[in-house]
Amino acid sequence: MSTQNRWLIWIFLAPTMVLMGVLLYYPMIGTVVESFYDTSFISPEPRFVGWAVYEKVWNSRQFPQVVWNSVVWTLGVVLLQNLLGFFVAMLLNQGLPAQGMLRALVLLPFVLPGVVTAILWRFMYDPQLGLINSLMIRLGLVEDNAAWLASSDTAMAAVIFVAVWKGFPFSMLIFLAALQSVDRSQLEAATLDGAGPWRRLIDVTLPAIKPVILVNVVLTLILTFNYFDIVWVMTRGGPQNATHIFPTRIFETGFGQFRFGEAAVYGVFSILILAVLAALYVIVQKTADGRRRTA
C-alpha cells in the first residue's frame, strides 16, 4: 500500500475517530478522573481524595449486593433468553404453516421500547388489578394476590422474566439464521444412519452452530449487564436494593443522591467488567472466524 493511500485512509477515518473520542472515550476518562474526587449535593465543589472513595464503596453494604444482583441478573437473563431463543428457533425452522406470520409475532416483544415494556408489565404485575395474579389464581398456582415487585423474594425473578420475554427474539433470530446454514446433507446422512432428532441435534446441529452460539452468548452477556430501563422503570432497584444492578446504582447514586464520586467508582468497576466481556467477545469472534476460514 502506497503512502498516499495510507494517508487517504486516515483522512476518511479521522471524523469517526474524533466523534468516538468525544462521545465515548472522553466521558470514560472523565469518569475515571471523577472517581478520585468527593462530590456531594451539600458540598458541590469537587475535593480530591484519591482512593478514599474506592475504599468507601468497596467497604459499603450496598456494593456486594449490587455485584451479586448483577451476576444473578446477567446470568439468569442470558441463560433463559438463549435457551428460549434456541427452542423457538428450532420450532420456526421446521417449516410450520404461516411461518412468516409466526416470525413477525415472535419479534413483537423485541421491537417494543424498553420503557413501554416495563410499564406494560408493571400493570400486569399489579397485586390487585394485574393479569398475572388473576391468571395464577385461576390456575390454582397461588391462593392470594402476590406483590411480585414489592417483595425482595420475587422482584428479581419478576424483572428477569420480563427481560427474557423482551430479549429472546434477538437470540432467536441469530439461532434461526445459524440453523438454516446447517448442511442438510449431513442431517440426511445422520437420519439414514438411524439417528433420531436428539442425536441429530447433539452430533450434527450443535457442533455446526457452536461458533454462533458462543458469539451470541458473549454478546448477550454484554448487552444484559449494561441493561437499565426495564429494571429502573419496574422497581427502581428496590425493594430493599433487591434489584439494584450496576447501571441502576450508578444512576441513583449520581443523579438521585448527587454523590458523583461514588457513582463514578461504580462506573469504573462497570467499565472494567465490560472491558473483560468485550475482550472475550473479540476472542470468541476471532476464533469463530478462524474456524470458518479453515472449514
Side-chain angles (χ1 to χ4, degrees), residues 28 31-36 50-60 62-64 66-68 70-71 225-226 245-247 249-250 253 260-278:
M28 191 180 301
T31 299
V32 176
V33 174
E34 182 75 24
S35 67
F36 294 104
W51 295 99
V53 184
Y54 282 86
E55 294 178 2
K56 181 180 179 181
V57 170
W58 185 267
N59 296 323
S60 66
Q62 292 81 12
F63 183 75
V66 169
V67 173
W68 173 251
S70 298
V71 171
F225 179 84
N226 214 27
I245 55 178
F246 272 96
R249 186 64 186 174
I250 293 169
T253 305
F260 299 111
E262 293 181 34
V265 171
Y266 279 101
V268 170
F269 282 118
S270 180
I271 290 171
L272 293 176
I273 295 172
L274 287 172
V276 172
L277 293 176

Side-chain angles (χ1 to χ4, degrees), residues 54-214:
Y54 282 86
E55 294 178 2
K56 181 180 179 181
V57 170
W58 185 267
N59 296 323
S60 66
R61 292 182 301 173
Q62 292 81 12
F63 183 75
Q65 188 170 13
V66 169
V67 173
W68 173 251
N69 290 343
S70 298
V71 171
V72 172
W73 158 261
T74 304
L75 295 183
V77 173
V78 170
L79 177 63
L80 296 176
Q81 173 180 320
N82 282 281
L83 287 176
L84 182 59
F86 184 77
F87 176 74
V88 176
M90 290 288 292
L91 290 179
L92 295 179
N93 196 43
Q94 304 301 315
L96 301 174
Q99 190 166 341
M101 184 181 68
L102 290 175
R103 292 181 183 179
L105 291 175
V106 169
L107 286 174
L108 282 178
F110 182 65
V111 300
L112 281 176
V115 175
V116 175
T117 301
I119 294 174
L120 172 67
W121 278 91
R122 277 188 65 181
F123 281 114
M124 294 179 67
Y125 278 129
D126 186 271
Q128 303 300 327
L129 305 175
L131 178 63
I132 302 298
N133 276 331
S134 176
L135 180 62
M136 296 189 74
I137 289 174
R138 290 188 179 184
L139 295 175
L141 299 177
V142 295
E143 297 180 357
D144 199 2
N145 291 331
W148 300 99
L149 298 179
S151 172
S152 57
D153 296 328
T154 58
M156 179 60 79
V159 293
I160 286 176
F161 181 85
V162 176
V164 171
W165 178 82
K166 177 173 173 51
F168 87 88
F170 174 79
S171 297
M172 182 272 297
L173 281 176
I174 296 177
F175 288 137
L176 184 60
L179 289 172
Q180 292 178 345
S181 66
V182 176
D183 191 352
R184 298 294 176 183
S185 62
Q186 294 183 5
L187 293 173
E188 293 173 358
T191 303
L192 293 175
D193 289 339
W198 179 253
R199 295 309 311 175
R200 292 198 299 270
L201 174 66
I202 298 298
D203 296 335
V204 180
T205 304
L206 289 181
I209 66 172
K210 181 180 177 181
V212 177
I213 294 175
L214 292 175

Side-chain angles (χ1 to χ4, degrees), residues 248-294:
T248 59
R249 186 64 186 174
I250 293 169
F251 185 84
E252 183 187 60
T253 305
F255 298 100
Q257 303 172 359
F258 300 101
R259 303 205 306 265
F260 299 111
E262 293 181 34
V265 171
Y266 279 101
V268 170
F269 282 118
S270 180
I271 290 171
L272 293 176
I273 295 172
L274 287 172
V276 172
L277 293 176
L280 181 61
Y281 175 77
V282 171
I283 293 172
V284 171
Q285 185 70 52
K286 287 185 177 180
T287 303
D289 291 342
R291 289 179 178 177
R292 279 194 290 267
R293 293 191 188 100
T294 57

